[in-house]
Amino acid sequence: MSLLEIRDLKVRVGDKQILGGIDLKVEAGQIHAIMGPNGSGKSTLAHILAGREGFVPTGGSVSFDGKDLLAMAPEIRAREGVFLAFQYPVEIPGVSNKYFLKAAYNAIRKHKGLEELGAGAFLKLIKERAKLVELDPTLLDRPVNEGFSGGEKKRNEILQLAVLEPKLAILDETDSGLDIDALKVVASGINAMRHPSRSFVVVTHYQRLLDYLVPDVVHVLVNGRIVKSGDKKLALELEEKGYGWIEAQDRERVAQP
Amino acid sequence: MTEPGVLAELPESGAIWLRDLRRDALDRFSKLGLPGPSEEDWRHTSVAPIAEGRFRRARLPEAYPEPAFRDWSGSRLVFVNGRYVPGLSSARPGARVVPMSQMLQKDGKELEPWLKETSATGAFAALNTALFEDGAYIEIDGSPVEPVHIVFLSAAQGEPAAAHVRVMIRLSAGSRAVIVEEYLSPGGTSNWTNSVAQIKLSENASLEHIRVQRDGAESLHVGLTEVRQARDSRYASRAFSFGGRLVRHDLDVRLEGEGAECQLDGLYFLKDSDHVDNHTRVDHAKPHTTSRELYKGVLDGVSRAVFNGAIVVRPNAQKISSVQSNKNLLLSSEGLVHTKPEFKIYANDVQCKHGATIGQLSSEALFYLRSRGIDETEARRLLVYAFVGEMVSRVGMAGPRQALAEELWGG
């Protein structure tokens, strides 16, 4: 059984059909990259998996670890092991990063039937994980993402990933807005979290993150469909030639069904 | 005009000057009558529950739920239905803390000029002057490190009752204090409390005044806090309201000496059909005075809130600085806020800023929290607390701060 199995998934946002039938299978331990031009539906795919309100599935199914993912509330998905690293992490004034992480961590523990972790042990855990992404520990006491730089926000996302230890991590444009040094730090943090039972779906417009985070499979999303899949060489080809040729192929396909 | 429902017989005991004062106040009240919706200051708050009520004179009931006090150190004066209860009270050295009833009997002459000089001319204040029998008298000289705690408990006594209570606080030059003034009523009582607090800060005195009004859904509460500040004095008000059927608080601060500063922090936390009206007024009577004001509100259910922030800058009160802000969080689609700044500026070299916001919980923040495994109820609670936490953290004294934090977190 695959960890994630998406079958003919169709999604509407508002009046607009964004995804027109996605098929995707992710095995445990794999990294899949989803690439594609702007507006192709990459972020929609990331958000529908996390349970974002307003994203309406109009057909198809998503099975996660053998369960119907689309039937679960967002918090249940998280507790079952789905994690979305946001492209634009939300600032939450008044809630300390540390408190937020602890509430999330213990909610997941409770769901698994484990005892909640005490304050001391938890502090030790997050400090240790913060080192993975070279996050300034003073940011743990600050309100969630408030006043963080773009790079700090992305590191904070990966810190959450490292603390919550999901089965499936969906990274939505985690590389956007990062300079090359920050990108390396974030990528090495993600690599440190690789595990035979943990899978990654990496949504990205550019190839450069994939220099550090080597995908098993690369998919190209155009107009709400996966039009091509291949190995990591496909990412390099896209980097070199852009998306134009693949969009042209897709137009031909649509014209001659 | 007469208002048989709210009028009671004047207290008979007391010195001649006091009886005269009460009679004058009653005359004034009779001329004024209860305020109506045609008065700008009462446009959004109807006093019908008071006008149409029939209130007995409050008395000490035979039985009442004893409040569970936290273990703060310091003097405590407890009143039940406006009557002093020595058994629940305790006095500590360091401050002069006396029930008003005792002051009126023994040292009334001391109070006469002060009671007369109040500029509180409104109907409710006049009625208070006519009818109050007890309350707290506090005189601080020096810097008592322990806070003073005044508690007014309103308890059921069979029929709705009206308690008129008076608080008088005086800080001598250079002294410092923390005073907690608390109004409590258990659910189910439809009593009316009408309070007037007069606060006088001498030169360079500093007061943190924590006022907590925690009434049941049927309770009625009208309060006036009048503050007079001399040169270089500092006044910090932390006013918390947890609702009631009709709640009105007027906070009236006059900065009468150069260098005087006030910080007015308020929070109203409302649900169901609570109605809370805060009218604040800062009078910059002298140059180089400073006011900072932040009132926040959370409204659930069909609750209503009114915030009116008046700032007056007198001619020649140059170089003053005033910042006012009112921020509201609506948790339901039927909560309603009337917010209005009111600036009257008669000087030209001043800094005044104000702002008001009304918003809802951010759906992005809610989703973000839920996407991390936190359920919706908890996520909402976190975000609400994030909004109000700032007001709690401003409370300088640990005991009340902790109590408020727990209450707001639980709510």
Side-chain angles (χ1 to χ4, degrees), chain B residues 280-313:
Chain B
T280 67
R281 178 188 164 89
V282 179
D283 185 346
H284 289 265
K286 284 282 155 65
H288 298 284
T289 49
T290 304
S291 64
R292 294 286 178 269
E293 182 170 13
L294 173 60
Y295 268 65
K296 280 192 173 186
V298 177
L299 289 91
D300 205 348
V302 293
S303 59
R304 299 278 181 273
V306 181
F307 174 80
N308 191 95
I311 304 285
V312 180
V313 183

Side-chain angles (χ1 to χ4, degrees), chain A residues 62-204:
Chain A
V62 179
S63 143
F64 175 71
D65 222 5
K67 295 173 186 162
D68 179 3
L69 188 71
L70 298 179
M72 299 177 198
E75 56 267 35
I76 304 299
R77 300 181 195 204
R79 293 172 197 175
E80 288 283 331
V82 175
F83 179 91
L84 170 67
F86 284 55
Q87 181 180 5
Y88 303 109
V90 181
E91 298 193 7
I92 309 184
V95 178
S96 95
N97 214 7
K98 205 193 291 179
Y99 185 90
F100 161 60
L101 272 167
K102 187 161 177 270
Y105 183 78
N106 280 331
I108 292 170
R109 299 262 302 182
K110 209 172 147 196
H111 185 74
K112 291 179 179 165
L114 299 169
E115 249 181 63
E116 295 191 359
L117 204 59
F122 183 73
L123 195 61
K124 212 177 136 205
L125 173 76
I126 52 172
K127 282 196 169 155
E128 174 208 310
R129 298 290 152 94
K131 281 185 200 150
L132 277 184
V133 286
E134 296 177 24
L135 187 83
D136 176 358
T138 62
L139 296 183
L140 295 171
D141 292 311
R142 295 247 305 267
V144 179
N145 293 322
E146 193 187 32
F148 287 23
S149 70
E152 285 169 341
K153 283 181 182 169
K154 295 296 172 79
R155 285 178 206 202
N156 203 30
E157 292 294 289
I158 305 307
L159 168 66
Q160 292 166 33
L161 161 65
V163 170
L164 302 179
E165 301 183 329
K167 290 182 194 148
L168 173 67
I170 304 152
L171 312 178
D172 186 11
E173 310 263 359
T174 294
D175 50 340
S176 68
L178 292 183
D179 62 35
I180 190 68
D181 293 330
L183 182 74
K184 282 182 189 167
V185 171
V186 164
S188 87
I190 297 167
N191 276 322
M193 291 308 294
R194 290 206 62 178
H195 188 273
S197 65
R198 180 169 302 123
S199 311
F200 291 82
V201 171
V202 182
V203 172
T204 181

Side-chain angles (χ1 to χ4, degrees), chain A residues 218-239:
Chain A
V218 174
H219 308 275
V220 184
L221 198 62
V222 174
N223 289 327
R225 286 171 198 273
I226 290 175
V227 295
K228 202 172 178 65
S229 299
D231 61 12
K232 62 184 177 187
K233 280 182 240 143
L234 177 56
L236 292 168
E237 199 179 348
L238 288 168
E239 177 76 358

Side-chain angles (χ1 to χ4, degrees), chain A residues 50-52 73-75 78-79 83-84 86 90 92-95 99-100 104 107 145 157 160, chain B residues 362-365 367-378 381-383 385-387 409:
Chain A
R52 182 69 187 247
E75 56 267 35
R79 293 172 197 175
F83 179 91
L84 170 67
F86 284 55
V90 181
I92 309 184
V95 178
Y99 185 90
F100 161 60
N145 293 322
E157 292 294 289
Q160 292 166 33
Chain B
S362 145
S363 61
E364 264 105 46
F367 176 63
Y368 190 66
L369 293 170
R370 294 179 72 190
S371 79
R372 297 300 182 249
I374 298 168
D375 68 47
E376 191 175 359
T377 312
E378 188 69 8
R381 202 157 79 116
L382 251 174
L383 293 176
Y385 191 80
F387 179 77
W409 181 241

Side-chain angles (χ1 to χ4, degrees), chain B residues 163-283:
Chain B
H164 305 270
V165 296
R166 178 70 64 123
V167 173
M168 300 178 94
I169 298 169
R170 179 145 50 184
L171 269 69
S172 65
S175 58
R176 294 168 57 92
V178 177
I179 293 175
V180 183
E181 179 190 2
E182 210 168 352
Y183 295 87
L184 306 170
S185 63
T189 67
S190 42
N191 290 350
W192 170 36
T193 301
N194 180 27
S195 79
V196 172
Q198 290 176 263
I199 298 174
K200 228 178 183 176
L201 305 187
S202 307
E203 276 185 32
N204 204 30
S206 169
L207 174 65
E208 181 177 15
H209 177 205
I210 302 162
R211 187 186 196 275
V212 184
Q213 176 261 323
R214 197 184 274 121
D215 281 309
E218 293 305 314
S219 294
L220 313 170
H221 179 105
V222 178
L224 165 69
T225 302
E226 181 190 88
V227 184
R228 299 292 173 255
Q229 291 186 243
R231 194 182 178 99
D232 296 325
S233 62
R234 292 169 302 282
Y235 173 68
S237 164
R238 327 280 186 209
F240 291 84
S241 171
F242 290 90
R245 183 176 175 201
L246 161 58
V247 177
R248 164 77 175 230
H249 183 222
D250 283 71
L251 174 55
D252 182 345
V253 180
R254 198 155 75 206
L255 303 169
E256 295 177 331
E258 291 191 15
E261 293 178 12
C262 68
Q263 170 85 46
L264 312 183
D265 296 328
L267 175 69
Y268 38 96
F269 199 81
L270 313 184
K271 58 182 184 313
D272 304 331
S273 52
D274 288 338
H275 181 110
V276 171
D277 179 341
N278 278 288
H279 267 63
T280 67
R281 178 188 164 89
V282 179
D283 185 346

Side-chain angles (χ1 to χ4, degrees), chain B residues 307-358:
Chain B
F307 174 80
N308 191 95
I311 304 285
V312 180
V313 183
R314 301 277 166 188
N316 303 320
Q318 305 294 3
K319 309 277 183 195
I320 69 98
S321 163
S322 171
V323 180
Q324 180 193 84
S325 175
N326 174 228
K327 297 178 180 173
N328 297 281
L329 176 62
L330 296 184
L331 299 181
S332 71
S333 54
E334 289 173 283
L336 185 68
V337 180
H338 297 279
T339 177
K340 186 177 138 199
E342 200 183 316
F343 280 71
K344 291 176 183 158
I345 302 174
Y346 305 104
N348 52 27
D349 185 10
V350 303
Q351 275 192 324
C352 291
K353 272 196 280 191
H354 72 86
T357 60
I358 299 176

